[in-house]
């Protein structure tokens, strides 16, 4: 024998009822015996509640009553042969008339008791289950409608009645035994007290009905059919990567359900738990899915937890005071008081000093709880033995659940790290000694972000999602998008990282889509769907969306974005930038950005500030972190200047080489922007700061490449004219180097805390002697690399290598 329960969406329309019939026909043809339990049609219970409230306030309820009738009649017309429709219409009409009489009584009295409400709500299950039994009778002649008020006996706690299990099991066994030849279709959710007055079983009442019947007949299995694929690792409406679980223990399912998972409710498991009957959670609309099996013993899984659940709206009640210290029975008195008034306590935590107790309850109960506390502990409050309670609202509970957590080190650390890195503050923590659950209370506004963050942390096999907001769509920005698109599969398969570009902006337009922008058509989407660009609004939207693992990428050369880095860090958004302006401004600003990023636990990566795609910043950081001492740094960090001096050989004039460099696109429109050395100087300053020095721009000694006449020229054409006139000056430099078997190099240095950039001559023993093309090079002389410096060399300019450097920084955020 199996007990099969169908939820509201499963009986909500003719189309969904066809799915039920297919399921039942397959069971029947395979020789299975079953009892069917049905909920009310989807939306009907809520509508009945609304009608009851409407009637109690003296307002018109009849249009809603007509809607209920029409919804059921429509299914009769669609699913039952015309010749068989009249008896069904008649019985449903009788139910509707009885319901109308009840609502009229509530309307006349302007009073809605819990007893009346239970009776009104019962008609949802009566109508749907009767209708389902009559449709099924066309395929199974032995189908029989059963009103559960005949079978399940409860106390008189209307709205959430307690079942008399021994008596109910006896009645059910007797009834089923005397109707062996029938297929029973039983109303879920409803029952009756000793006076045969209708009661209801509370939230998840139809699941509970199925479990009670299953336990009574000692069913082989209890199947709960709904519109989702069993129990998932998290709410799929919030966590897109949530996936179905094949099995859960009773304890795991209880914990997940208690903390908000709506697929099954805790009371429904208790009868099955007692008789060790497996519960199978299946999807009416996806019968191929095997379902989630809830049972006593389960197999080990590779995941440290089974799922993440949440209660979205809770409030915290904080009690402090010396009057609790050593006071035996204080907690018992407090929680007995709350229990007596039907206030459910969701979570409790107490300090080891006994100086404070914190508990979480539903917001609707807070006013009553406060009044009770003040009334019961009035004397303690007046004598200052207890402080006035502190109430915290707009909070949520997030719980991680799983039997694998037991005695597994690092679970709580991983949870707190994931939340902390995303700027999610924990207001309270609770963990039972069973180690099946860790619960944290956080701000309501952070619950979506927290669920996704924690899911990424504990189910790494699924990939960690980085939500990227990128500004700047020039050569570097557009090349970065190409690289992300090409590497997306590789990153998922080999690095467990998924990059979702959720925002793109340039100086004209901006586009934000939290589900991700298709990178193969980002230009068209930005042009067609983008709104007028506003960097301030772009940053505000990033903060408002509050997505997990956010990264802001600055691929511009503008001074404006750097002004927003600090507030992005404060919002726990990491920053990756090739824009060196923020890091080369005042040391105070540089230090503030670094300290804020570190304090907020986010990343500030700017590898491309110094050497495009070369690993210079990271190499310096690794040397220092590992305890090495920097003695000297020498570098050529301008691809443009590198190209010019590498080609200023033989008969070539300096004028010709600079002109050629500009034609090849290696220089700025005005070559003096490169040849002034200021950009190079800023790179050296950033290196000095990262090496631990408080270097300002004025502290860097900047040697000139150009004669003053070239720098002072009134235009680019005038500059070239002066450059040509200075041939003798440059040729003398070249000739002098040649005679000494040396070459000219424009070198930045950091030694003994002093930074400089100068034009120098180096011989063949120097690592910079054989530099070619537009390569950059840097030499680290340290305690470990004292006699043979560590050298990093490679392309120092170009969109491809710079974008690759930005990309590498982004991946390193994902690895954090």
């Amino acid at each position: 024998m199996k007990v099969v329960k169908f939820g509201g969406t499963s009986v909500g329309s003719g189309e969904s009822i066809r799915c039920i019939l297919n399921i039942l026909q397959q069971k029947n043809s395979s020789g299975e015996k079953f009892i069917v339990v049905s909920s009310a049609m989807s939306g009907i219970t809520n509508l009945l509640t609304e009608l009851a409230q409407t009637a109690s306030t003296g307002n018109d309820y009849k249009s809603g009553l007509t809607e209920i009738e029409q919804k059921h009649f429509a299914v009769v017309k669609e699913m039952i042969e015309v010749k068989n429709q009249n008896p069904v219409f008649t019985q449903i009409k009788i139910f509707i008339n009885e319901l109308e009489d009840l609502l009229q009584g509530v309307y006349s009295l302007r009073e809605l008791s819990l007893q009346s409400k239970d009776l009104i709500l019962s008609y949802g299950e009566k109508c749907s289950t009767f209708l389902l039994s009559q449709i099924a009778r066309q395929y199974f002649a032995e189908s029989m409608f059963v009103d559960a008020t005949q079978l399940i006996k409860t106390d008189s706690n209307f709205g959430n009645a307690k079942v008399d299990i021994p008596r109910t099991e006896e009645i059910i066994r007797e009834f089923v035994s005397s109707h062996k030849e029938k297929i029973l279709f039983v109303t879920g959710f409803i029952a009756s007290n000793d006076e045969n007055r209708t009661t209801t079983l509370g939230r998840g009442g139809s699941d509970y009905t199925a479990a009670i019947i299953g336990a009574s007949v000692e069913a082989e299995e209890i199947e709960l059919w709904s519109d989702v694929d069993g129990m998932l690792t998290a709410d799929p409406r919030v966590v897109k990567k949530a996936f179905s679980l094949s099995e859960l223990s009773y304890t795991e399912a209880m914990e997940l359900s208690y903390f908000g998972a709506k697929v099954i409710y805790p009371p429904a498991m208790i009868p099955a738990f007692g008789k060790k009957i497996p519960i199978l959670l299946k999807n009416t609309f996806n019968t191929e899915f095997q379902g989630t099996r809830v049972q006593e013993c389960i197999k080990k899984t590779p995941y440290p937890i089974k799922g993440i659940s949440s209660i979205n709206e809770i409030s915290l009640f904080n009690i402090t005071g010396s009057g609790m210290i050593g006071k035996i029975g204080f907690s018992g008195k407090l929680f007995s008081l709350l229990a007596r008034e039907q206030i459910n306590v969701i979570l409790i935590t107490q300090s080891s000093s006994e100086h404070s107790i914190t508990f979480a309850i539903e917001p609707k109960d807070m006013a009553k709880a406060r009044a009770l506390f003040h009334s019961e502990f009035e004397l303690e409050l007046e004598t200052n033995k207890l402080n006035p309670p502190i109430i915290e609202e707009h909070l949520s509970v997030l719980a991680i659940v799983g039997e694998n957590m037991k005695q597994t080190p690092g679970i709580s650390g991983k949870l707190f790290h994931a939340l902390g890195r995303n700027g999610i503050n924990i207001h309270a923590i609770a963990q039972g000694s069973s180690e099946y659950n860790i619960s944290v209370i956080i701000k309501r506004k952070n619950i979506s972000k927290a669920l996704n963050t924690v899911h990424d942390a504990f189910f790494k096999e699924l990939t960690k999602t980085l939500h990227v907001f990128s500004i700047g769509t020039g050569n570097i920005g557009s090349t970065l998008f190409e690289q992300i698109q090409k590497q997306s599969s590789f990153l998922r398969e080999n690095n467990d990282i998924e990059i979702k570009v959720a925002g793109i902006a340039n100086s004209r337009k901006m586009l934000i889509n939290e589900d991700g922008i298709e990178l193969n058509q980002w230009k068209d989407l930005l042009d067609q769907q983008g709104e007028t660009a506003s960097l301030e609004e772009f940053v505000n939207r990033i903060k408002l969306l509050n997505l997990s693992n956010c990264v802001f990428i600055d691929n511009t050369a503008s001074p404006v974005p750097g002004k927003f880095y600090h507030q992005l860090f404060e919002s726990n958004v990491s920053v990756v930038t090739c824009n060196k302006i923020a890091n080369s401004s005042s040391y105070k600003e540089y230090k503030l950005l670094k300290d804020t990023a570190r304090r907020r636990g986010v990343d500030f990566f700017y590898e491309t500030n110094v050497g495009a795609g070369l690993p210079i910043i990271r190499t310096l950081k690794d040397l220092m972190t590992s305890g090495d001492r920097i003695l000297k740094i020498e570098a050529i960090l301008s691809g443009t200047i590198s190209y010019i001096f590498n080609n200023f050989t033989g008969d070539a004039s300096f004028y010709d080489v600079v002109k050629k460099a500009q034609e090849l696109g290696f220089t700025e429109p005005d070559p003096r922007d490169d040849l002034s050395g200021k950009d190079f100087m800023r790179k050296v300053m950033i290196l000095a700061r990262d090496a631990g020095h408080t270097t300002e721009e004025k502290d860097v000694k900047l040697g000139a490449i150009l004669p003053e006449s070239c720098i002072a020229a009134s235009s680019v054409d005038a500059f070239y004219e002066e450059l040509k006139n200075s041939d003798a000056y440059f040729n003398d430099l070249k000739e002098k180097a040649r005679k000494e078997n040396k070459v000219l190099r424009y070198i930045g240095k950091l030694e003994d805390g002093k930074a400089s950039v100068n034009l120098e001559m180096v011989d063949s023993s120097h690592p910079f002697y054989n530099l070619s093309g537009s390569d950059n090079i840097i030499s680290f002389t340290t305690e470990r690399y004292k006699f043979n410096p560590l050298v990093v060399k490679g392309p120092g300019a170009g969109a491809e290598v710079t974008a690759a450097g930005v990309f590498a920084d982004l991946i390193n955020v994902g690895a954090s």
Side-chain angles (χ1 to χ4, degrees), residues 680-691:
F680 191 168
M681 179 268 294
R682 292 189 183 103
K683 295 178 180 180
V684 172
M685 182 171 64
I686 293 170
L687 275 176
R689 289 172 172 180
D690 275 15

Side-chain angles (χ1 to χ4, degrees), residues 304-305 400 405 408-422 424 426 429 431 435 438-440 453-454 457-458 460 816:
I305 65 171
I400 58 171
M405 289 166 56
T408 302
I411 296 293
S412 57
K414 184 180 286 191
L415 171 65
F416 302 144
H417 174 75
L419 294 173
R421 181 173 171 79
N422 281 274
I424 300 166
I426 297 171
I429 304 163
Q431 178 177 15
E435 296 187 58
I438 301 175
S439 305
V440 295
T453 294
V454 174
F458 283 99
K460 284 191 173 177
S816 297

Side-chain angles (χ1 to χ4, degrees), residues 159-461:
N160 192 14
K162 183 180 178 182
V163 178
D164 181 342
I165 294 293
R167 186 178 168 202
T168 294
E169 286 190 350
E170 185 181 342
I171 294 170
I172 290 172
R173 279 195 293 269
E174 238 177 73
F175 187 88
V176 171
S177 177
S178 60
H179 295 86
K180 285 180 180 175
E181 74 289 354
K182 298 291 186 182
I183 297 176
L184 306 180
F185 285 77
V186 186
T187 55
F189 181 56
I190 62 175
S192 65
N193 65 7
D194 286 339
E195 297 172 350
N196 292 322
R197 295 186 182 277
T198 298
T199 58
T200 60
L201 303 180
R203 282 190 354 163
S206 293
D207 291 351
Y208 194 20
T209 302
I212 291 166
I213 294 171
S216 301
V217 300
E218 297 188 355
E220 176 192 341
E221 193 172 69
I222 298 165
E223 296 180 4
L224 305 181
W225 293 77
S226 65
D227 58 352
V228 294
D229 285 340
M231 189 80 84
L232 283 79
T233 50
D235 185 342
R237 294 167 300 181
V238 179
V239 181
K240 303 301 181 189
K241 289 188 283 187
F243 61 93
S244 299
L245 297 161
S246 59
E247 61 178 8
L248 288 167
S249 70
Y250 288 121
T251 306
E252 288 171 335
M254 284 263 198
E255 292 283 354
L256 284 170
S257 301
Y258 180 75
F259 284 97
K262 302 294 192 299
V263 180
I264 187 173
Y265 290 89
M269 282 177 276
I270 295 169
F273 202 157
K275 298 285 181 72
K276 298 181 181 179
I277 301 170
I279 300 172
L280 190 61
L281 309 174
K282 297 207 69 174
N283 188 343
T284 306
F285 310 103
N286 180 18
T287 54
E288 296 302 310
F289 173 66
Q290 291 301 305
T292 300
R293 194 174 184 83
V294 181
Q295 56 191 16
E296 185 180 32
C297 298
I298 58 170
K299 299 179 215 140
K300 285 271 187 186
T301 70
Y303 303 116
I305 65 171
K306 278 293 180 67
I308 309 156
S309 199
S310 63
I311 300 173
N312 286 346
E313 288 289 349
I314 63 107
S315 297
L316 271 187
F317 198 107
N318 300 289
I319 306 168
T320 59
S322 59
M324 290 188 287
I325 300 173
K327 184 77 177 289
I328 296 170
F330 179 86
S331 298
K333 181 180 180 182
L334 171 65
F335 294 118
S336 295
L337 175 70
L338 296 172
R340 190 172 69 240
E341 297 298 325
Q342 300 293 307
I343 297 174
N344 181 42
V345 177
I346 297 165
L347 176 150
I348 306 165
T349 180
Q350 181 175 16
S351 68
S352 56
S353 67
E354 300 182 27
H355 185 264
S356 68
I357 294 177
T358 298
F359 58 89
I361 60 176
E362 292 185 39
K364 67 180 177 62
D365 293 328
M366 185 53 77
K368 189 197 289 187
R370 193 201 303 253
L372 285 168
F373 181 79
H374 278 276
S375 171
E376 189 71 23
F377 298 101
E378 183 179 5
L379 181 60
E380 289 88 342
L381 288 165
E382 285 180 359
T383 56
N384 295 320
K385 289 183 177 179
L386 290 179
N387 300 316
I390 299 169
I391 310 301
E392 294 181 66
E393 304 199 276
H394 309 299
L395 302 173
S396 296
V397 179
L398 179 147
I400 58 171
V401 172
E403 289 189 350
N404 279 3
M405 289 166 56
K406 192 173 179 65
Q407 297 177 345
T408 302
I411 296 293
S412 57
K414 184 180 286 191
L415 171 65
F416 302 144
H417 174 75
L419 294 173
R421 181 173 171 79
N422 281 274
I424 300 166
N425 186 44
I426 297 171
H427 292 246
I429 304 163
Q431 178 177 15
S433 59
S434 65
E435 296 187 58
Y436 288 145
N437 172 309
I438 301 175
S439 305
V440 295
I441 293 181
I442 60 174
K443 287 194 185 304
R444 172 71 184 88
K445 67 178 183 179
N446 287 327
I447 190 63
S448 174
K449 181 180 185 180
L451 285 167
N452 281 279
T453 294
V454 174
H455 198 273
D456 270 359
F458 283 99
F459 298 103
K460 284 191 173 177
E461 293 82 352

Side-chain angles (χ1 to χ4, degrees), residues 63-133:
S63 60
L65 203 58
T66 303
E67 182 183 338
I68 293 172
E69 181 180 292
Q70 288 175 347
K71 190 168 184 179
H72 289 86
F73 278 10
V75 175
V76 174
K77 292 172 185 175
E78 182 181 350
M79 299 298 296
I80 295 180
E81 292 181 27
V82 175
K83 63 180 180 181
N84 299 324
Q85 287 179 3
N86 276 341
V88 185
F89 279 136
T90 301
Q91 183 56 59
I92 290 175
K93 189 64 180 173
I94 290 170
F95 286 147
I96 298 295
N97 289 342
E98 290 173 355
L99 182 56
E100 184 174 14
D101 290 344
L102 286 169
L103 289 169
Q104 181 59 45
V106 170
Y107 178 87
S108 300
L109 294 171
R110 300 291 196 274
E111 181 185 2
L112 178 63
S113 67
L114 288 174
Q115 180 177 327
S116 298
K117 186 177 178 182
D118 274 4
L119 187 53
I120 289 168
L121 294 183
S122 72
Y123 282 91
E125 270 69 21
K126 288 178 183 177
C127 287
S128 67
T129 309
F130 173 74
L131 178 52
L132 181 61
S133 70

